[in-house]
Amino acid sequence: MSEFTGWVKSFSMPVLEPDEIQVWRILLNAQVAAELRLKEALSAAEHLRARRFHFAPDRRRFIIRRAVLRQLLATILEVKPQAIRLEFGAHGKPSVAGQVGADGLRFSCSHSADWALIALTRGNELGVDLEQHRPMADTEDLTRNFFSLVEINELAGLPPELRLAGFFDCWTRKEAFIKAIGLGLSYPLNGFSVSLSPNQPATLLEVADDTEALKKWGLISLNVAPNYSAALVFEKRQTFLKYFTWNWERSS
């Protein structure tokens, strides 16, 4: 599967074809009127959770990303958004209740600052992750504790001006991988290696306890917005990747 090529603004939800992955990019700054309409898609539990946010921007972002997820899932399954029942595995991986087997719907989500990503497919596992670049006081500690020796050396070899992007490229690729395999942070992040040099292809380099992993899993980077890193991990049985931007004009 090729590297990321670009986003298409979609005016309707395309059919999710077999062996296809759709990745949706959502800007989390909808107008208040759109936010009020989106609330109608939420479950009772999500309404309660939304009310617990102290700050309006955080509440708005939560409402938007959950409502868009429900609308996408509902369109594919041909049910009402409120009827979607989400479940969470032992390590926190979300799924749609009843969607099991070879053609069951799978999804993965991530958000950071003003952007969110939703990846959708059928039957095969996948993971997506997104992070805004930002200075952090504990970057060195995180690198030492969670990066493999291969990654530590590659990051140290980057010019200083590229290390922040390199750090987040690495972090999102690692997060996307552990989401895809469904083990979350119970799986040691330093037990596998990914490439991290900015402007170079994303690659899963090695997985210490799984000699078949490189054959099974694909990894690509996604260009969401300036000063963001994003990655998608997917089973290589998938053959088609499509990228869409959620069109707020259809929701206004």
Side-chain angles (χ1 to χ4, degrees):
M1 202 176 284
S2 61
E3 284 287 302
F4 169 77
T5 54
W7 303 98
V8 175
K9 180 184 280 191
S10 178
F11 289 85
S12 62
M13 173 69 189
V15 174
L16 182 63
E17 301 288 353
D19 297 323
E20 176 182 280
I21 299 171
Q22 291 184 7
V23 183
W24 288 80
R25 178 179 69 162
I26 304 103
L27 185 60
L28 302 176
N29 67 348
Q31 299 298 317
V32 173
E35 178 190 343
L36 293 174
R37 285 193 296 275
L38 286 168
K39 282 184 178 180
E40 299 175 0
L42 301 185
S43 68
E46 288 166 338
H47 277 287
L48 180 61
R49 182 174 171 185
R51 289 196 292 270
R52 291 174 178 164
F53 284 93
H54 294 291
F55 301 106
D58 294 332
R59 180 170 59 250
R60 185 180 304 116
R61 293 184 185 109
F62 171 78
I63 290 170
I64 291 170
R65 63 179 187 264
R66 277 302 179 92
V68 172
L69 171 65
R70 285 184 170 275
Q71 290 188 20
L72 291 172
L73 296 175
T75 301
I76 296 170
L77 297 175
E78 299 182 332
V79 298
K80 292 183 178 180
Q82 302 91 327
I84 298 290
R85 186 161 64 89
L86 300 179
E87 297 179 332
F88 297 87
H91 302 289
K93 185 170 184 175
S95 62
V96 180
Q99 290 296 302
V100 297
D103 60 350
L105 183 60
R106 305 285 192 273
F107 72 93
S108 182
C109 305
S110 186
H111 67 277
S112 183
D114 287 332
W115 288 98
L117 290 175
I118 299 172
L120 303 156
T121 193
R122 293 186 183 274
N124 296 304
E125 301 301 335
L126 78 175
V128 72
D129 197 65
L130 169 71
E131 289 286 348
Q132 183 186 43
H133 298 175
R134 60 202 183 277
M136 298 193 303
D138 58 351
T139 299
E140 291 186 5
D141 289 339
L142 291 171
T143 300
R144 182 171 55 255
N145 292 327
F146 297 111
F147 285 14
S148 70
L149 183 59
V150 170
E151 294 161 343
I152 291 171
N153 289 336
E154 185 173 351
L155 186 63
L158 292 178
E161 65 273 15
L162 294 181
R163 286 178 190 162
L164 185 65
F167 171 85
F168 281 108
D169 283 352
C170 186
W171 190 263
T172 54
R173 293 167 191 180
K174 294 173 86 65
E175 286 280 346
F177 180 74
I178 62 174
K179 287 182 180 181
I181 64 176
L183 295 178
L185 291 175
S186 70
Y187 190 86
L189 286 175
N190 57 9
F192 64 99
S193 300
V194 299
S195 64
L196 57 80
S197 296
N199 305 317
Q200 296 297 319
T203 306
L204 181 63
L205 299 174
E206 61 179 0
V207 181
D209 63 355
D210 187 353
T211 58
E212 299 297 312
L214 303 190
K215 298 178 182 177
K216 179 177 181 179
W217 298 105
L219 166 63
I220 63 169
S221 59
L222 304 171
N223 183 12
V224 173
N227 299 314
Y228 280 78
S229 290
L232 173 72
V233 171
F234 54 91
E235 292 191 71
K236 287 183 177 179
R237 287 177 292 183
Q238 302 288 43
T239 54
F240 302 104
L241 256 172
K242 296 181 180 179
Y243 310 95
F244 300 101
T245 294
W246 181 265
N247 176 35
W248 285 113
E249 294 173 10
R250 68 179 179 182
S251 301
S252 58

